[in-house]
């Protein structure tokens, strides 16, 4: 049995060495990291939150974490663009899935708060795999208890600030409004990128702005370009704790067809990767990647992109740990 556990030399968790056991072997965890739930000696933990019954259209995100794990077998430990050997600086594990309750969003929020608490209390950065976007509210409630209100960097083609769907107040299209109402997000340090698509009326976008959110719609983003937009995002997020949420429908459905509410005319996967890589130097306290629905995917294109984005998130954690150690 190939050992993906702790090498004695560094006492760090890292993926199974692909030169010892080929990447298509073994049981699927994120990047073939060890499946560990005790948080001692851990810096970053991937965790599946396969809750998907708070959606307004297609369903199937419950199978997102499994698909992302399978696609992530391909990912390698050195990040070329960021110039860092990730696992030299970060000890990472796959903590498995939370046992959410299908059809019961309130009870599932309790499961999420409890599940994330043990990760956060250990000073570990959670990297969650959804699930539909409603899970972000459960994560933010847990994050709030540890860090207080956070700046939110939200990649999404939707603002998710509707008040309710059919009277339901806790859905993947309302979580952001609820998070602001609950005081979980510092809107002055928050930004939503990639907003596009048809709406119910002009008040939809206005409503998000009235809540204090800063919107960078897809048209603006693509017109100005990644390099022009990035400094604005980083400056706005500022010095306090920041949570990054990535709804895969941010990316054009040509690059990410496996999702629930696709909006055409979006950024490419390359744009998305470059934007995430630019989030260096922030106090990043948590990440999620949501809305992957493998049933609508083709050739793993969506789940591979999702896995690669999570790989970039982990790289940001590694860069942060490296820089902190340098500073002493
Ligand atoms: Mn969303
Ligand atoms: Mn969306």
């Amino acid at each position: 049995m190939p050992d993906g556990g702790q090498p004695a030399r560094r006492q760090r968790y890292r993926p199974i060495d692909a030169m010892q056991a080929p990447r298509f072997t073994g049981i699927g965890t994120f990047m073939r990291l060890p499946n560990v739930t005790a948080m001692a000696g851990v810096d970053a933990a991937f965790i599946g939150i396969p809750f998907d019954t708070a959606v307004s259209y297609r369903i199937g995100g419950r199978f997102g974490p499994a698909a992302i794990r399978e696609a992530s077998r391909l990912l390698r430990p050195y990040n070329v663009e960021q110039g860092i050997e990730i696992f030299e600086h970060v000890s990472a594990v796959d903590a498995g899935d939370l046992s959410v309750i299908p059809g019961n969003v309130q009870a599932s929020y309790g499961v999420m708060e409890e599940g994330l608490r043990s990760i956060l209390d250990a000073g570990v950065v959670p990297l969650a795999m959804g699930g539909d976007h409603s899970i972000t509210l459960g994560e933010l409630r847990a994050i709030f208890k540890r860090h207080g209100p956070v700046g939110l960097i939200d990649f999404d083609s939707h603002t998710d600030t509707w008040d309710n769907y059919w009277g339901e107040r806790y859905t993947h299209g309302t979580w952001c409004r609820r998070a602001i109402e609950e005081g979980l997000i510092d809107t002055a340090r928050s930004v939503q990128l990639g907003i596009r698509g048809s709406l119910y009326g002009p008040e939809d976008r206005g409503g998000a702005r009235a809540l204090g959110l800063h919107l960078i719609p897809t048209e603006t983003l693509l017109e100005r370009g990644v390099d022009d937009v990035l400094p604005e995002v980083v400056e706005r997020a500022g010095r306090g704790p920041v949570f990054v949420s990535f709804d895969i429908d941010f990316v054009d459905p040509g690059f990410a067809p496996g999702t629930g509410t696709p909006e055409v005319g979006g950024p490419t996967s390359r744009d998305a990767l470059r934007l995430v890589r630019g989030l260096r130097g922030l106090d990043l306290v948590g990440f999620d990647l949501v809305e992957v629905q493998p049933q609508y995917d083709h050739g793993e294109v969506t789940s591979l992109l999702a896995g690669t984005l999570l790989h970039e998130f982990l790289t940001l954690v590694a860069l942060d740990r490296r820089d902190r150690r340098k500073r002493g």
Side-chain angles (χ1 to χ4, degrees):
M1 170 107 188
D3 178 22
Q6 284 181 294
R9 188 163 59 90
R10 285 200 199 83
Q11 295 296 304
R12 258 187 218 127
Y13 291 112
R14 54 181 304 135
I16 295 169
D17 183 351
M19 297 304 159
Q20 300 297 319
R23 283 178 283 166
F24 48 82
T25 62
I27 293 164
T29 56
F30 190 83
M31 265 189 97
R32 304 204 308 159
L33 287 163
N35 175 209
V36 169
T37 52
M39 289 294 117
V42 178
D43 300 313
F46 292 89
I47 185 152
I49 309 183
F51 182 83
D52 70 352
T53 42
V55 291
S56 57
Y57 197 55
R58 295 172 179 167
I59 198 165
R62 66 185 61 185
F63 299 114
I68 294 167
R69 286 185 175 111
E70 275 308 305
S72 75
R73 290 172 176 279
L74 188 61
L75 298 164
R76 304 171 188 89
Y78 186 73
N79 187 314
V80 178
E81 285 77 13
Q82 300 280 39
I84 189 167
E85 159 64 63
I86 297 169
F87 302 97
E88 291 291 316
H89 302 280
V90 71
S91 168
V93 299
D94 186 329
D97 289 339
L98 295 180
S99 292
V100 294
I101 299 129
N104 192 334
V105 67
Q106 296 300 349
S108 294
Y109 279 149
V111 171
M112 292 174 216
E113 273 193 75
E114 182 62 23
L116 287 175
R117 188 170 57 85
S118 57
I119 293 174
L120 291 162
D121 283 354
V124 175
V125 178
L127 299 106
M129 302 177 273
D132 73 51
H133 216 160
S134 70
I135 68 167
T136 304
L137 183 63
E139 294 168 69
L140 287 174
R141 285 176 178 171
I143 295 261
F144 176 82
K145 283 184 182 148
R146 172 131 186 125
H147 297 285
V150 290
L152 174 73
I153 299 176
D154 185 27
F155 296 89
D156 200 332
S157 64
H158 313 99
T159 62
D160 295 348
T161 51
W162 284 274
D163 180 64
N164 70 83
Y165 276 88
W166 317 289
E168 293 295 325
R169 289 166 49 79
Y170 296 90
T171 77
H172 78 154
T174 58
W175 66 269
C176 192
R177 179 177 290 266
R178 294 291 96 78
I180 293 168
E181 289 169 354
E182 293 179 23
L184 312 178
I185 296 173
D186 179 358
T187 52
R189 296 200 297 113
S190 298
V191 56
Q192 290 189 318
L193 298 103
I195 309 303
R196 65 180 182 276
S198 54
L199 296 169
Y200 299 103
E203 66 280 6
D204 287 350
R205 260 190 209 182
R209 291 199 168 103
L211 288 168
L213 289 165
H214 180 55
L215 271 50
I216 303 179
T218 287
E219 280 305 305
T220 309
L221 170 64
L222 296 183
E223 209 172 290
R224 288 175 53 190
V226 168
D227 293 333
D228 187 56
V229 162
L230 262 173
E232 180 183 325
V233 174
V234 170
E235 194 190 316
R236 187 170 170 92
R239 296 257 62 90
V242 174
F243 186 85
V244 178
S245 187
F246 201 110
D247 181 331
I248 200 69
D249 72 29
F250 167 84
V251 180
D252 189 274
F255 298 86
T259 194
T261 42
E263 304 289 352
V264 300
T268 64
S269 46
R270 179 169 174 269
D271 295 330
L273 292 169
R274 289 181 62 223
L275 281 163
V276 171
R277 283 177 199 138
L279 303 180
R280 295 176 64 153
L282 296 171
D283 180 15
L284 302 167
V285 296
F287 302 83
D288 68 17
L289 191 302
V290 298
E291 298 282 346
V292 171
Q293 295 190 3
Q295 307 87 320
Y296 296 95
D297 204 5
H298 303 280
E300 281 193 334
V301 59
T302 311
S303 46
L304 179 58
L305 172 58
T308 308
L309 287 163
L310 285 155
H311 180 263
E312 294 291 346
F313 293 165
L314 182 64
T315 303
L316 291 170
V317 180
L319 288 163
D320 178 58
R321 298 291 152 128
R322 184 185 70 182
D323 294 347
R324 270 198 241 174
R325 265 177 213 122
K326 265 190 199 161
R327 287 197 301 269

